[in-house]
Amino acid sequence: MRYRVDSSRSRFIVQAFAKGLLSAFGHNPRLAVRDFEGKAEFDPAAPNAASLRMAARVDSLALIDDVSEKDRREIERVTREELLEAARYPEIVFQSAIVTARQAAEGRYQVRIVGDLSLHGVTLELVIDVMATFDGDDLRAQGGFPLRLTDFNIRPISVAGGLLKLKDEVQLSFDILARAPRE
């Protein structure tokens, strides 16, 4: 079956981590990817033939932490414009190449997806472990994975003269709902 990601009922979160002398006063920003789309193919009779393609708009990253509106605007601006250079690299794309799945229970599969992630002008192979639940017209995928910013030629941000920096590794987590199109 073919599925289309329902971004209104899905979440994709990026968690960054502070380091440096002032990191105790800094914050570990969590940003939600608000504008993304995707297509998946999955057949419970042949789960290893599954495929996935996802695309996200860099300018849709929105801070979800409780901070002042001024701080929110600045963190989002720095993330979009300086860190990820959204004007130059507006989209992040993941395309699966190999999918292996093992049924864990009725309608539940442990899935490993190997594919190419294109981010900030760099494309690298990425391995993502997912727990997928198949329920007729709905396919839900949950999981997470780390990324090192420097692998994608992204320089972690430093503020306050280098006393507060972002760590090179960020953690991504997702809970994606995809639905079969209704005829």
Side-chain angles (χ1 to χ4, degrees):
M1 288 186 78
R2 293 174 190 233
Y3 297 87
R4 184 170 300 284
V5 170
D6 182 348
S7 60
S8 69
R9 299 195 50 212
S10 301
R11 72 170 174 78
F12 207 110
I13 307 295
V14 180
Q15 171 83 58
F17 301 96
K19 69 177 184 175
L21 290 176
L22 297 179
S23 63
F25 303 105
H27 110 225
N28 298 320
R30 291 179 308 138
L31 297 119
V33 180
R34 300 282 190 210
D35 184 4
F36 59 94
E37 61 185 22
K39 295 177 184 176
E41 291 188 19
F42 181 80
D43 180 354
N48 291 331
S51 67
L52 172 68
R53 184 184 192 285
M54 298 263 315
R57 301 285 309 164
V58 172
D59 61 6
S60 76
L61 285 167
L63 188 68
I64 57 175
D65 298 330
D66 186 21
V67 298
S68 71
E69 190 57 35
K70 178 184 176 211
D71 288 346
R72 176 179 315 286
R73 282 192 309 269
E74 182 62 8
I75 290 169
E76 289 176 355
R77 183 196 68 75
V78 168
T79 300
R80 293 174 186 159
E81 294 176 16
E82 295 178 24
L83 189 71
L84 298 175
E85 300 179 88
R88 187 171 176 195
Y89 308 107
E91 194 170 58
I92 301 166
V93 176
F94 178 80
Q95 176 65 56
S96 66
I98 301 168
V99 177
T100 54
R102 183 179 63 77
Q103 188 167 3
E106 183 65 32
R108 290 180 57 88
Y109 297 83
Q110 290 179 321
V111 181
R112 175 160 279 186
I113 304 170
V114 179
D116 290 327
L117 178 67
S118 297
L119 167 64
H120 200 254
V122 176
T123 300
L124 294 175
E125 184 177 87
L126 182 67
V127 178
I128 304 171
D129 290 316
V130 176
M131 180 55 72
T133 307
F134 171 74
D135 184 20
D137 289 341
D138 290 347
L139 178 63
R140 179 170 297 279
Q142 298 170 308
F145 56 94
L147 279 184
R148 283 197 341 228
L149 299 174
T150 53
D151 288 348
F152 293 91
N153 291 332
I154 299 170
R155 186 178 49 87
I157 297 173
S158 173
V159 294
L163 294 175
L164 180 62
K165 302 176 185 181
L166 286 184
K167 290 183 179 179
D168 187 20
E169 188 170 282
V170 296
Q171 183 67 37
L172 291 89
S173 61
F174 56 88
D175 183 354
I176 305 291
L177 177 66
R179 300 200 136 149
R182 307 246 190 259
E183 301 293 322

